[in-house]
């Protein structure tokens, strides 16, 4: 494997490891429903990007598709969290 592919694979695997650690970070964040959704969304988006990157490197079409799907799911979770925060803030006024 070329050094460029090896470096890219290491970077993608690091992204997977960081995304897997995201649930542990939830304990240190505010416990609002919106914040939890946004954090989970960030984790899913990072994990999806990493999967897609590994899929690109290995030529695995199924992994690329899973990565795209998970990244979109993460983006949707973040938007859901923002909406919950908006409602929460409106109710606090």
């Amino acid at each position: 494997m070329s050094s460029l592919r090896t470096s890219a694979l290491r970077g993608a695997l690091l992204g997977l490891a960081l995304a897997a650690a995201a649930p542990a970070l939830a304990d240190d964040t505010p416990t609002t429903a919106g914040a939890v959704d946004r954090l989970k969304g960030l984790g899913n988006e990072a994990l999806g990007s990493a999967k897609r990157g590994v899929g690109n490197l290995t030529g695995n079409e199924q992994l690329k598709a899973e990565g795209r799907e998970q990244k979109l799911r993460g983006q949707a979770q973040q938007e859901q969290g923002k909406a919950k925060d908006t409602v929460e803030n409106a109710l606090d006024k």
Side-chain angles (χ1 to χ4, degrees), residues 3-84:
S3 64
L4 180 60
R5 288 190 117 186
T6 302
S7 295
L9 185 57
R10 283 186 185 150
L13 292 175
L14 177 61
L16 287 171
L18 290 174
L25 299 175
D27 294 337
D28 299 329
T29 59
T31 56
T32 65
V36 172
D37 282 344
R38 287 192 324 273
L39 182 62
K40 287 180 181 179
L42 283 172
N44 273 323
E45 196 171 345
L47 190 56
S49 291
K51 280 183 180 180
R52 191 171 176 194
V54 171
N56 283 332
L57 287 172
T58 61
N60 185 330
E61 294 299 322
Q62 181 179 353
L63 194 57
K64 285 196 292 189
E66 286 175 17
R68 278 191 299 272
E69 178 185 333
Q70 191 161 6
K71 184 173 180 177
L72 289 172
R73 189 175 337 123
Q75 291 170 343
Q77 281 178 310
Q78 287 185 61
E79 291 303 317
Q80 182 179 5
K82 289 175 188 176
K84 284 181 181 180

